[in-house]
Amino acid sequence: MCSIKFKRGVLKKFEEEDLDDLLRKRLKDSSELPGALWHIYAGKDADKIREFLQKIAKEQGLEVLPEHDPIRDQSWYVNKKLRQRLLEEYGVKTCTVIQFLGDAIILPAGALHQ
């Protein structure tokens, strides 16, 4: 019973994401078990993402040191609201992928991901 509640909770969370039709269809297939949610960004957008994260940190009253790299410290999760801002303010698109159990995910060289 617990695993059914867990799967429903995971499915609800994943369904809130910006997914293509194929991923949505796989989510509804009861034989497919989602394992991980990935947000992938083009490597060419690293400087824009870095600038965006520094901007968000300043908005939250956090100290931003010049030598600090918010991408590499892995302390940020860019949620749906922040991903929308990143697109609107910096033109950075996110590719959202669900990794189902048994799937392999291959990231392009230099791609940023969370």
Side-chain angles (χ1 to χ4, degrees):
M1 184 70 162
C2 184
S3 64
I4 292 172
K5 287 182 181 179
F6 175 76
K7 184 174 179 184
R8 285 184 188 147
V10 169
L11 290 176
K12 183 178 180 186
K13 174 63 181 153
F14 284 178
E15 287 172 349
E16 294 171 358
E17 295 293 332
D18 298 321
L19 304 174
D20 64 26
D21 292 337
L22 180 62
L23 285 175
R24 290 196 183 281
K25 184 177 179 181
R26 284 186 76 186
L27 274 175
K28 293 181 193 260
D29 183 346
S30 62
S31 68
E32 295 265 31
L33 294 175
L37 179 66
W38 293 79
H39 300 291
I40 305 168
Y41 305 89
K44 68 179 178 63
D45 291 326
D47 289 336
K48 292 178 185 178
I49 295 169
R50 188 173 290 109
E51 182 180 325
F52 176 72
L53 293 175
Q54 290 171 338
K55 177 181 177 180
I56 297 301
K58 287 177 185 174
E59 288 175 4
Q60 293 179 0
L62 302 173
E63 182 179 10
V64 178
L65 301 174
E67 69 279 358
H68 177 73
D69 187 346
I71 293 174
R72 301 293 171 220
D73 76 8
Q74 299 181 4
S75 63
W76 287 94
Y77 177 73
V78 184
N79 61 28
K80 188 174 183 176
K81 183 178 176 182
L82 290 176
R83 288 192 306 272
Q84 185 61 39
R85 263 187 81 179
L86 185 58
L87 175 62
E88 291 171 2
E89 296 175 23
Y90 291 82
V92 174
K93 295 181 181 179
T94 308
C95 177
T96 300
V97 177
I98 296 175
Q99 181 179 11
F100 291 84
L101 296 182
D103 284 355
I105 300 291
I106 298 174
L107 298 175
L112 304 173
H113 60 280
Q114 64 174 17

